[in-house]
């Protein structure tokens, strides 16, 4: 293995692999550094991605990796990128193993880390019966007794999107509700009750929720929950390089997946709150193609 490349991709899941394929097919030398912790590793099945609907996420990425690595200019290492600095000719990336690599361009495709709330049972149910996306999981929990664990505009947005999927919808704010008069009127019109009681626990069987247990000891039977935990960047490398991070904690990119730092691109969940495999793949493909175009323009 060499140490100098056209492009280093930090993160070898759906978006990083998609970018690597675009770059490999244009004969760019690429190194993918991946720690093996994709955002959706807890999800039993991936949906809403044509040709792969219902597939196990790990199977999708394993097949993608196999196909990408058929291109001889693409290399993949299992390691964690711990630092990156700008150099005169591009970037130097340091891995946890202590090895350093250099490249002309850098793509960050590291996803995000979901921070589980302090509710017993939540993390065990996450991505199984507690889900974040109606497009990824809504069909599978249609018609079930469904909770929205959120408050304010986030809860209202969920209610608007999923009310057509079930008649048994209710909102749990886990504290004082923060809704406008108009939002409460919409909930009433659509027969969606709001419960402000503090939640102590999610009772479940192997990650499939059965009851919400409140701090006063009362319980409510439930089959599925929509909730969106706070998430943070998987790595501080973009911030170290000077990339702009928005108020939602996402890396700011333009329509070509460029960050504000010359030569640094970002794609996938670390840039976009619409977390879906199809979107991650699309943004990676775009980033790979446009990185190649930038490299070509610099020497043409």
């Amino acid at each position: 293995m060499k140490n100098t490349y056209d492009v280093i991709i930090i993160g070898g899941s759906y978006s990083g692999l998609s970018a690597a394929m675009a770059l490999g097919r244009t004969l760019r030398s690429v190194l993918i550094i991946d720690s093996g912790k994709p955002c959706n590793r807890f999800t039993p099945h991936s949906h809403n991605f044509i040709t792969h609907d219902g597939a196990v996420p790990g199977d999708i990425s394993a097949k993608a990796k196999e196909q990408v690595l058929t291109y001889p200019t693409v290399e993949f290492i299992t390691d964690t990128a711990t630092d990156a600095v700008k150099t005169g000719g591009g970037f130097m990336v340091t891995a946890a193993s202590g090895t350093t690599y250099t490249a002309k361009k850098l793509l960050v495709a590291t996803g995000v880390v979901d921070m589980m709330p302090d509710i017993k049972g939540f993390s065990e149910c996450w991505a199984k019966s507690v889900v974040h996306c109606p497009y990824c999981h809504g069909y599978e929990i249609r018609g079930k007794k469904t909770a929205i664990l959120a408050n304010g505009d986030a809860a209202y947005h969920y209610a608007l999107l999923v009310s057509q999927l079930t008649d048994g919808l209710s909102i749990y704010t886990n504290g004082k509700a923060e809704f406008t008069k108009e939002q409460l009127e919409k909930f009433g019109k659509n027969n969606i009750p709001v419960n402000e009681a503090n939640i102590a626990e999610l009772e479940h069987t192997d990650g499939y929720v059965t009851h919400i247990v409140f701090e006063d000891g009362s319980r409510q039977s439930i089959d599925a929950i929509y909730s969106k935990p706070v998430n943070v960047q998987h790595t501080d490398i973009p911030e170290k390089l000077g990339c702009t991070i928005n108020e939602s904690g996402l890396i700011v990119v333009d329509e070509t997946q460029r960050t504000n730092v010359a030569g640094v691109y970002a794609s996938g969940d670390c840039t976009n709150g619409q977390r879906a495999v199809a979107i991650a793949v699309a943004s990676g493909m775009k980033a790979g193609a446009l990185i190649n175009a930038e490299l070509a323009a610099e020497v043409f």
Side-chain angles (χ1 to χ4, degrees):
M1 177 177 286
K2 59 185 181 180
N3 290 80
T4 301
Y5 300 85
D6 290 324
V7 184
I8 291 175
I9 299 174
I10 304 176
S13 191
Y14 312 97
S15 192
L17 289 169
S18 180
M21 179 170 280
L23 289 160
R25 289 180 57 81
T26 53
L27 302 183
R28 297 298 178 186
S29 60
V30 179
L31 175 65
I32 305 167
I33 304 174
D34 183 69
S35 63
K37 295 180 180 178
C39 302
N40 67 350
R41 63 190 182 276
F42 305 108
T43 304
H45 299 95
S46 178
H47 292 281
N48 214 32
F49 183 19
I50 57 172
T51 75
H52 294 289
D53 191 42
V56 176
D59 292 348
I60 300 173
S61 57
K63 185 174 183 178
K65 180 181 175 182
E66 179 184 359
Q67 292 180 345
V68 167
L69 293 182
T70 63
Y71 295 96
T73 59
V74 180
E75 298 177 22
F76 188 109
I77 61 167
T78 301
D79 206 337
T80 300
T82 57
D83 195 20
V85 294
K86 199 155 190 175
T87 65
F91 301 89
M92 182 174 70
V93 176
T94 302
S97 61
T99 309
T100 59
Y101 307 93
T102 60
K104 299 170 187 174
K105 307 294 178 186
L106 183 64
L107 173 64
V108 180
T110 47
V112 292
V113 178
D114 295 302
M115 308 300 290
M116 299 294 106
D118 188 21
I119 297 174
K120 184 180 178 182
F122 188 101
S123 60
E124 290 83 356
C125 295
W126 177 240
K128 294 178 180 177
S129 57
V130 178
V131 300
H132 78 287
C133 175
Y135 300 104
C136 298
H137 307 288
Y139 185 82
E140 283 62 45
I141 59 175
R142 68 194 185 283
K144 293 188 176 183
K145 195 169 186 180
T146 304
I148 294 170
L149 177 50
N151 207 343
D153 291 343
Y156 182 81
H157 184 65
Y158 267 134
L160 184 153
L161 289 180
V162 305
S163 59
Q164 67 187 21
L165 296 174
T166 178
D167 294 328
L169 189 62
S170 50
I171 295 173
Y172 298 84
T173 57
N174 195 28
K176 183 174 176 57
E178 300 171 351
F179 298 114
T180 66
K181 178 182 176 182
E182 292 76 15
Q183 288 172 336
L184 290 171
E185 288 174 351
K186 287 282 189 179
F187 296 151
K189 173 187 172 184
N190 289 281
N191 300 310
I192 302 172
V194 176
N195 188 320
E196 297 180 303
N198 292 317
I199 297 171
E201 180 181 355
L202 301 183
E203 287 186 347
H204 65 94
T205 301
D206 297 327
Y208 290 90
V209 64
T210 57
H211 295 86
I212 295 176
V213 182
F214 302 100
E215 288 184 354
D216 64 6
S218 61
R219 300 157 76 242
Q220 174 64 57
S221 64
I222 212 77
D223 299 317
I225 299 174
Y226 286 99
S227 187
K228 187 177 183 181
V230 172
N231 48 62
V232 297
Q233 290 292 321
H234 215 133
T235 175
D236 63 356
I237 286 175
E239 193 170 0
K240 285 180 178 178
L241 288 170
C243 298
T244 300
I245 309 294
N246 68 18
E247 60 186 13
S248 298
L250 300 172
I251 303 170
V252 176
V253 295
D254 64 13
E255 67 279 1
T256 68
Q257 305 299 138
R258 286 188 180 95
T259 71
N260 61 298
V261 178
V264 180
Y265 288 71
S267 64
D269 289 356
C270 63
T271 68
N272 193 324
Q274 294 178 301
R275 295 172 60 187
V277 172
I279 293 173
V281 169
S283 67
M285 165 61 197
K286 183 193 292 186
L290 291 166
I291 290 171
N292 174 65
E294 185 171 281
L295 286 167
E298 289 172 356
V299 298
F300 190 72

